[in-house]
Amino acid sequence: MIYDHLLIRYGELTTKGANRAEMEQLLERNVRRALSGWPEVRVTRSQQRIVVQLNGAPVDATLQKLQQVFGISSISPVAVAPLNLEAIQQKAVEVAKRELMDKSTFKVEARRGYKDFPLDSPALQKAVGAAILRALPHIRVDVHRPEVVIEVDIRKSAAYVYPSRVPGLGGFPVGMSGKGLVLLSGGIDSPVAAWKAMKRGLALELVHFHSFPFTSERAQQKVEDLAAVLTTWAGPMKLHLVSVTAIQSEIQRAAPEGLRTILLRRMMVRAASRIADEVGAGALVTGDSLGQVASQTLPALNAVDRATEHTILRPLIAEDKLEIIELAKRMGTYDISILPFDDCCSLFAPKHPKTHPKLRDIERAEARMDVESLIAEAVASREEKWVLADEALGASASYR
């Protein structure tokens, strides 16, 4: 196997100054977690790179796993050579013979991260290119539009030779930005919001509000499946299942129909804030997109914000619905989200919700309810479970 290592690069982390070492350690830990299924793999960190020594682990499968790790800008399967010119040339020829079988042009790009290496980058490029031309006389150099670019990266411990860079997810390592609590419905938007929050470095716990027995067990399973898909990028997650049946009954009794959705959302945020305090989450995360539905107008969002002291992060706030759907499809959550099992919001949605609710009307309706007792009862009803990636049921197949 010519490519026996993977070279991992990270982008935004390199701009983070004094905190960079801690962030690199976090990324290294996340890489180790992603590759834990291959105990033979060895992961090391040096000179703003993470190097994965495969030791026989499959290149394609490990590469695919690393493409699901936030904080990585690109990955290259690499051939490793000791730090002498002859060995580097030999390894570059091996790479060229593999990659140029049906190609006719190439160029060499060299980087000398280890400055004690005797040749500078231009001289190394020339020497490696000459060796390849001697071994493969039917090909030629094209510095402007080469079919293959063979890169040589000189590091303190070794030289890495490779022909490609596979894009990573970018962003920050999960956990770098603290912890958030996602209000996870069974819809399209909230899983995508969770994914975007993870990309900015948030570790997540999830909370789902249900109205059992009015919502079915299949609706809950749908949410657990969505949560299982999300664990692909961050490992096991804790899911909190909270009943709002009593809250909805009281809202129906005490409030005008047009305010029921916004009142329920304020109750959910209050309950989520209690849970966030317990689990050490610094923010709530929702799938709101400005103006998408009646409860996501500016007055409605402002009314929800007033119900909590926690920051509410809305990663999708300026996203178009078609953009959200496209990302949901790429993530693998879309086919699960569109399954026809109502959540508590859609089941009790009013026919004519207020799009510009006034805070005084909302507070007047809440004054007719024992808000504190309702929130305490909802939080006390909570069930907790850990969701693992291998628990994902796989789109809609399990429901047929």
Side-chain angles (χ1 to χ4, degrees):
M1 184 170 63
I2 185 172
Y3 301 124
D4 51 6
H5 289 66
L6 299 175
L7 187 66
I8 298 173
R9 306 171 194 83
Y10 30 96
E12 286 190 73
L13 296 190
T14 60
T15 68
K16 296 303 174 185
N19 295 326
R20 189 172 68 194
E22 181 179 350
M23 296 173 187
E24 289 176 347
Q25 289 173 3
L26 182 57
L27 179 58
E28 182 182 356
R29 186 196 73 184
N30 292 349
V31 166
R32 291 179 187 276
R33 177 192 59 77
L35 300 179
S36 60
W38 294 279
E40 67 270 31
V41 162
R42 182 168 176 262
V43 179
T44 57
R45 179 166 47 91
S46 175
Q47 293 181 283
Q48 298 182 17
R49 296 285 189 272
I50 293 175
V51 179
V52 178
Q53 184 175 340
L54 294 173
N55 293 322
V59 174
D60 291 344
T62 52
L63 185 62
Q64 184 178 9
K65 277 290 185 181
L66 292 175
Q67 286 183 283
Q68 298 169 342
V69 177
F70 290 112
I72 294 175
S73 61
S74 66
I75 314 153
S76 293
V78 300
V80 179
L83 290 176
N84 68 75
L85 179 58
E86 183 178 350
I88 294 169
Q89 288 174 314
Q90 180 180 347
K91 193 62 69 172
V93 168
E94 291 178 24
V95 170
K97 286 180 177 179
R98 175 189 172 96
E99 303 298 334
L100 289 163
M101 291 176 62
D102 57 348
K103 307 289 193 307
S104 59
T105 62
F106 80 104
K107 76 171 181 178
V108 176
E109 291 184 355
R111 292 168 186 80
R112 192 176 59 146
Y114 178 53
K115 300 305 180 184
D116 289 344
F117 188 77
L119 295 182
D120 62 16
S121 296
L124 181 58
Q125 288 172 183
K126 184 176 180 180
V128 171
I132 293 172
L133 288 171
R134 287 193 298 270
L136 301 170
H138 63 285
I139 64 171
R140 61 186 176 85
V141 174
D142 184 343
V143 297
H144 299 295
R145 294 180 179 177
E147 293 174 275
V148 175
V149 178
I150 295 176
E151 299 189 53
V152 181
D153 193 350
I154 303 296
R155 296 280 148 178
K156 186 174 183 179
S157 58
Y160 301 107
V161 184
Y162 50 92
S164 63
R165 296 185 179 211
V166 179
L169 286 174
F172 295 142
V174 170
M176 193 191 88
S177 301
K179 181 189 285 187
L181 180 65
V182 179
L183 280 68
L184 184 68
S185 71
I188 296 170
D189 299 340
S190 57
V192 178
W195 189 91
K196 283 181 168 281
M198 287 189 287
K199 185 172 183 178
R200 300 313 297 167
L202 273 183
L204 300 179
E205 292 193 20
L206 313 169
V207 58
H208 174 68
F209 296 95
H210 64 84
S211 297
F212 187 79
F214 301 107
T215 53
S216 68
E217 292 183 3
R218 291 188 299 175
Q220 180 174 314
Q221 183 61 60
K222 173 182 173 181
V223 170
E224 292 179 19
D225 282 3
L226 290 171
V229 174
L230 291 174
T231 66
T232 302
W233 293 276
M237 289 183 176
K238 184 180 283 188
L239 173 63
H240 305 263
L241 300 165
V242 178
S243 172
V244 290
T245 305
I247 288 175
Q248 288 187 298
S249 297
E250 185 65 4
I251 289 173
Q252 286 186 301
R253 181 198 68 79
E257 182 187 18
L259 293 178
R260 287 175 184 171
T261 297
I262 194 68
L263 287 167
L264 178 60
R265 288 174 64 84
R266 279 167 60 92
M267 291 290 200
M268 288 177 175
V269 163
R270 289 186 178 103
S273 295
R274 299 277 181 92
I275 297 170
D277 284 336
E278 290 183 24
V279 303
L284 307 180
V285 182
T286 72
D288 297 321
S289 177
L290 184 61
Q292 188 179 118
V293 294
S295 62
Q296 294 173 10
T297 63
L298 279 179
L301 294 176
N302 178 61
V304 171
D305 286 344
R306 298 291 188 91
T308 180
E309 294 182 356
H310 278 82
T311 298
I312 301 180
L313 301 178
R314 297 181 170 98
L316 307 183
I317 193 65
E319 297 284 340
D320 181 88
K321 185 67 175 184
L322 293 179
E323 296 170 338
I324 298 170
I325 289 173
E326 179 59 31
L327 181 50
K329 288 179 177 178
R330 297 204 308 268
M331 290 168 54
T333 56
Y334 178 78
D335 287 340
I336 303 172
S337 293
I338 63 174
L339 291 168
F341 306 127
D342 289 327
D343 60 25
C344 62
C345 292
S346 58
L347 198 62
F348 290 89
K351 293 181 180 179
H352 304 290
K354 292 280 188 181
T355 58
H356 292 75
K358 292 181 170 51
L359 190 59
R360 64 174 179 271
D361 294 335
I362 294 169
E363 291 174 342
R364 188 179 299 122
E366 288 179 341
R368 294 193 287 269
M369 298 181 280
D370 188 346
V371 171
E372 179 59 34
S373 294
L374 289 168
I375 296 302
E377 180 182 349
V379 174
S381 77
R382 177 180 45 168
E383 300 175 55
E384 298 177 356
K385 68 175 298 180
W386 282 96
V387 180
L388 309 176
D390 59 6
E391 292 178 355
L393 296 181
S396 60
S398 61
Y399 297 94
R400 294 175 179 167

